[in-house]
């Protein structure tokens, strides 16, 4: 920065300032000093203000460029990223092949186990069916035997019931006959008692009449 005592002594040129990292900042200090003098600042005040502005600008540029990268750094970073991507792809292909082989072997193993398990299940099913059929046949035979036994018992029970009915009918017939005989005897006895009663009543009435007739004659 080239500063002079007065505005007319300053060279009307654009000053170039080197900032850290070989970054150049172009700033027309003469024009700014003249502008400040026109606004009422002295030459010294204008030069101090311009110097401060340059320092502030350089500081801001340092902060801005601190988070920025050059084109070469970008290319290097891009090449590193592409190399990493290629390595990752290669690793993924190798891993995919190995995983595919492992999955295929595991799949074959699972298929074999499933086949063995299916065969075991089929054997168990056949065994269960055979046992169930045998049990069913045995149970069927037992049910038939029970049915035949129940039929025989039912036939015997029916025969006993028929015999009991016949015996009951004979007992009822005999009882009816006895009752009829007893009723006939009672009727005969009642007739005899009735006749005796009539005879007794007739004798009593005759006796009473005789006694009454006797008293009647005595009183005459």
């Amino acid at each position: 920065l080239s500063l002079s005592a007065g505005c007319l002594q300053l060279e009307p040129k654009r000053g170039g300032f080197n900032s850290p990292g070989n970054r150049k900042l172009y700033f027309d200090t003469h024009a700014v000093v003249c502008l400040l003098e026109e606004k009422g600042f002295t030459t010294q005040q204008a030069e101090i203000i311009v110097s401060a502005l340059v320092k502030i600008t350089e500081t801001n540029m340092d902060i801005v460029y601190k988070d920025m990268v050059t084109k070469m750094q970008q290319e290097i970073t891009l090449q590193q990223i592409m190399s990493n991507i290629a390595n990752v792809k290669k690793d993924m292909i190798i891993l995919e092949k190995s995983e595919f082989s492992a999955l295929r072997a595991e799949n074959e193993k699972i298929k074999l186990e499933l086949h063995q398990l299916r065969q075991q299940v089929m054997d168990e099913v056949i065994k269960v069916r055979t046992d169930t059929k045998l049990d069913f046949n045995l149970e069927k035979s037992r049910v038939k035997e029970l049915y035949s036994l129940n039929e025989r018992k039912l036939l015997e029970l029916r025969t006993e019931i028929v015999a009991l009915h016949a015996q009951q009918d004979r007992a009822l017939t005999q009882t009816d006959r006895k009752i009829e005989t007893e009723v006939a005897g009672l009727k005969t006895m009642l007739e005899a008692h009735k006749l005796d009663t009539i005879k007794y009543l007739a004798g009593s009435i005759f006796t009473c009449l005789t006694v009454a007739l006797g008293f009647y004659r005595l009183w005459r």
Side-chain angles (χ1 to χ4, degrees), residues 30-47:
H30 177 72
V32 176
V33 170
C34 293
L35 180 62
L36 292 174
E37 287 179 350
E38 290 178 359
K39 297 300 180 180
F41 291 94
T42 63
T43 301
Q44 186 178 4
Q45 290 176 347
E47 291 176 352

Side-chain angles (χ1 to χ4, degrees), residues 4-213:
S4 62
C7 177
L8 296 176
Q9 296 177 355
L10 290 175
E11 296 179 359
K13 65 179 180 179
R14 185 180 303 274
F17 303 95
N18 293 329
S19 60
N22 295 325
R23 295 187 299 271
K24 291 184 178 182
L25 175 64
Y26 294 96
F27 196 84
D28 192 352
T29 56
H30 177 72
V32 176
V33 170
C34 293
L35 180 62
L36 292 174
E37 287 179 350
E38 290 178 359
K39 297 300 180 180
F41 291 94
T42 63
T43 301
Q44 186 178 4
Q45 290 176 347
E47 291 176 352
I48 292 171
I49 292 172
V50 170
S51 178
L53 288 174
V54 171
K55 289 182 179 179
I56 292 171
T57 305
E58 288 180 350
T59 303
N60 291 332
M61 292 300 294
D62 290 337
I63 294 172
V64 171
Y65 281 104
K66 185 178 180 180
D67 295 330
M68 297 178 66
V69 295
T70 62
K71 185 176 181 180
M72 184 177 294
Q73 291 176 346
Q74 289 181 355
E75 291 179 355
I76 293 171
T77 304
L78 181 60
Q79 290 178 359
Q80 291 176 353
I81 292 172
M82 294 302 293
S83 177
N84 292 329
I85 290 173
N87 293 329
V88 170
K89 285 184 177 179
K90 187 183 296 182
D91 294 337
M92 288 180 66
I93 292 171
I94 296 172
L95 181 62
E96 184 178 359
K97 289 182 179 179
S98 61
E99 288 292 332
F100 183 73
S101 300
L103 287 174
R104 180 179 292 176
E106 188 69 22
N107 191 16
E108 293 295 330
K109 183 179 178 181
I110 291 173
K111 283 183 179 179
L112 181 60
E113 291 178 354
L114 285 175
H115 181 71
Q116 293 176 355
L117 182 60
R118 183 179 296 174
Q119 189 65 34
Q120 291 178 0
V121 171
M122 292 299 295
D123 294 338
E124 290 294 330
V125 169
I126 292 172
K127 183 179 178 181
V128 170
R129 284 181 179 177
T130 304
D131 294 339
T132 303
K133 188 175 181 180
L134 181 60
D135 294 337
F136 179 75
N137 292 329
L138 292 174
E139 188 68 21
K140 188 176 181 181
S141 301
R142 192 177 66 85
V143 170
K144 286 183 178 180
E145 291 178 358
L146 290 175
Y147 181 76
S148 300
L149 181 61
N150 290 328
E151 286 290 331
R152 288 195 298 271
K153 288 182 179 180
L154 183 61
L155 184 60
E156 292 175 357
L157 184 61
R158 286 179 179 176
T159 304
E160 291 178 358
I161 291 172
V162 171
L164 289 174
H165 279 295
Q167 185 177 359
Q168 186 177 4
D169 290 337
R170 289 194 298 270
L172 288 175
T173 302
Q174 292 176 1
T175 303
D176 290 337
R177 289 177 181 176
K178 289 180 180 180
I179 291 172
E180 290 178 356
T181 303
E182 293 292 333
V183 169
L186 288 174
K187 285 182 178 180
T188 304
M189 187 180 294
L190 286 175
E191 290 293 334
H193 283 296
K194 185 177 181 182
L195 183 59
D196 293 337
T197 303
I198 291 172
K199 288 180 179 180
Y200 177 75
L201 289 175
S204 298
I205 292 171
F206 183 74
T207 302
C208 289
L209 289 174
T210 303
V211 171
L213 184 59

